[in-house]
Amino acid sequence: MPSTTKALRSRDRTYRFELGDMLCAAFVCMVAALILFGAAIAPYDPLVFNPLHPLEAPSMAFPFGTDEFGRDVLSRVLSGARPTLLVALAAAAVGVALGATTGLMAGYISGITDEVVMRVMDALMSFPGLILAMLVVVMLGPAPINVVSAIALVFWPRSARLVRSVVVDLAKKEFVDAARSRGEGDVFIVFRELLPNVLALLMVDFSLRVTAAILVAASLAYLGVGVSPPTPAWGLMVKDGQPLIEIAPWLVIFPCAAIAIASIGAVLVGERLRHALALPGVEARR
């Protein structure tokens, strides 16, 4: 009887794990489809004015309604996925990559170098993330690459401190001493011995940074920084629809829903990765 119960529980765990994997894969595929084909599958041109249908409520012809210029909100939400999600993904990737490199080098070298680097990271973290990103975009200009750089700058010190906290302990492990005894250089040890042991942590960190990047990118667009009309970006759509929220709430509800779904989905993917990769607790490679 105990063995049967154990087998049933094992099958239950396997089923839940597979279901979670499929849901995460479906979400990732949905995000990729929105980035690549969002504008193509939009039923109407998101930029063309239609004075015959201003501020129409959701209907069969316009499932998400129309704005004050008669533009289809569904088409604008689909087309607005790329300016928001692509920027978020790129910014999270750059920020985590910079943070991983900085954290690996600082944690491995330690000493005065570690202190100096971490104090610089602390200085960057002392600025509120959104304000720091706004300052960078205002100074560099509203080009997409500048928005990506600004958001990545916000994530850089946070990822660096996370990786450094793990590498400090890993650098004391026997496999690092063995690599040194073989005559391996510091660069080899950092990227061939230490990096593989933090890859799982970086994957989870990246998924969570994507969540924050979506919110920061949408906030920048809402504040009029980084995206200019008539580009359909989710944050900008919320800003444009806010004055009309009492008579046309769908102008705000649907882009906000898109932001919420994307953010929550990224969090769930991160949680799924954390459980699948057995984090926290990164063990040294033997």
Side-chain angles (χ1 to χ4, degrees):
M1 185 66 179
S3 61
T4 304
T5 303
K6 183 177 180 180
L8 288 174
R9 289 177 180 173
S10 177
R11 284 198 297 270
D12 288 343
R13 285 198 298 268
T14 302
Y15 174 76
R16 287 196 296 268
F17 180 79
E18 292 175 352
L19 178 59
D21 284 346
M22 288 189 292
L23 292 175
C24 289
F27 172 76
V28 172
C29 291
M30 181 192 72
V31 170
L34 286 175
I35 293 174
L36 295 175
F37 309 112
I41 63 178
Y44 301 96
D45 190 324
L47 302 180
V48 173
F49 291 5
N50 189 349
L52 298 178
H53 302 280
L55 295 177
E56 284 198 8
S59 61
M60 293 297 294
F62 303 102
F64 286 7
T66 63
D67 63 10
E68 67 272 29
F69 302 111
R71 297 175 296 189
D72 180 43
V73 175
L74 173 60
S75 300
R76 291 181 63 77
V77 168
L78 292 173
S79 301
R82 179 177 296 179
T84 304
L85 297 179
L86 194 58
V87 165
L89 290 170
V94 173
V96 171
L98 289 174
T101 303
T102 305
L104 283 166
M105 299 302 296
Y108 174 72
I109 297 174
S110 66
I112 186 65
T113 301
D114 180 31
E115 285 295 324
V116 172
V117 171
M118 286 300 103
R119 296 298 77 76
V120 173
M121 297 297 102
D122 289 342
L124 289 174
M125 290 182 64
S126 65
F127 289 92
L130 182 58
I131 294 177
L132 178 60
M134 287 181 59
L135 289 175
V136 173
V137 174
V138 169
M139 289 188 297
L140 299 180
I145 186 63
N146 295 335
V147 178
V148 170
S149 301
I151 300 175
L153 183 64
V154 174
F155 297 150
W156 175 23
R158 292 161 174 80
S159 294
R161 291 194 66 86
L162 179 65
V163 173
R164 182 256 180 195
S165 66
V166 176
V167 172
V168 166
D169 292 330
L170 289 177
K172 301 174 184 177
K173 299 292 184 179
E174 293 179 357
F175 72 95
V176 175
D177 294 334
R180 289 198 190 99
S181 66
R182 296 196 308 266
E184 305 292 357
D186 292 339
V187 176
F188 179 91
I189 294 174
V190 168
F191 291 102
R192 294 296 300 274
E193 298 291 339
L194 296 176
L195 179 59
N197 288 286
V198 298
L199 279 178
L201 182 67
L202 290 175
M203 291 173 61
V204 177
D205 185 45
F206 170 74
S207 66
L208 298 179
R209 299 301 172 196
V210 169
T211 301
I214 291 172
L215 297 176
V216 174
S219 298
L220 290 175
Y222 177 84
L223 295 172
V225 180
V227 180
S228 302
T231 303
W234 292 343
L236 189 57
M237 292 176 64
V238 175
K239 175 188 176 183
D240 292 341
Q242 187 174 0
L244 302 171
I245 191 171
E246 292 185 359
I247 60 174
W250 57 87
L251 297 179
V252 175
I253 290 174
F254 290 113
C256 284
I259 295 171
I261 291 171
S263 301
I264 294 172
V267 170
L268 294 178
V269 169
E271 284 296 309
R272 197 65 198 171
L273 284 173
R274 185 176 67 83
H275 288 297
L277 299 172
L279 292 176
V282 181
E283 296 184 359
R285 186 179 60 181
R286 298 184 182 277

